[in-house]
Amino acid sequence: MKGSSALLLLALTLLCICGLTRAEDDNEFFMEFLQTLLVGTPEELYEGPLSKYNVNDMAKSALTELKSCIDGLQPVHKEQLVKLLVQVLDTQEDT
């Protein structure tokens, strides 16, 4: 779990550093990215939320490893992450 948490933190940090989470539209990007990361495939990441960005091979490798860590979580933990994402999405719709 420590490894997957560290990778997730790294991914979130990279998103912030790259300036991908600047405005409300970027909030939608961020939520779509997290949703796809939790329940999608790496290919869906590249075809969906990352489609307008040039994702180099090293970043693709890191995302694939991160996705593998998330997929390796115990089902109950992954379920809780999905529930948390749903709560956040519901909150976003209310604002």
Side-chain angles (χ1 to χ4, degrees):
M1 182 71 172
K2 283 185 179 181
S4 62
S5 296
L7 284 173
L8 184 56
L9 180 59
L10 174 65
L12 296 175
T13 302
L14 287 174
L15 285 174
C16 291
I17 290 171
C18 293
L20 296 178
T21 57
R22 289 186 298 261
E24 191 169 312
D25 287 343
D26 291 325
N27 262 349
E28 291 176 28
F29 163 84
F30 186 67
M31 295 311 296
E32 182 183 357
F33 176 82
L34 284 177
Q35 181 177 3
T36 306
L37 195 59
L38 284 172
V39 297
T41 65
E43 292 77 24
E44 289 173 325
L45 280 171
Y46 311 133
E47 294 168 1
L50 297 175
S51 63
K52 62 182 177 180
Y53 301 99
N54 182 18
V55 181
N56 67 38
D57 290 339
M58 290 297 288
K60 284 182 180 181
S61 178
L63 286 168
T64 298
E65 188 170 337
L66 176 62
K67 178 65 178 140
S68 176
C69 289
I70 290 170
D71 289 345
L73 291 173
Q74 293 182 17
V76 68
H77 293 148
K78 193 170 178 181
E79 178 184 343
Q80 291 305 310
L81 288 174
V82 170
K83 284 182 180 180
L84 177 61
L85 180 60
V86 168
Q87 284 179 340
V88 171
L89 288 171
D90 286 345
T91 303
Q92 293 293 319
E93 289 176 2
D94 293 340
T95 58

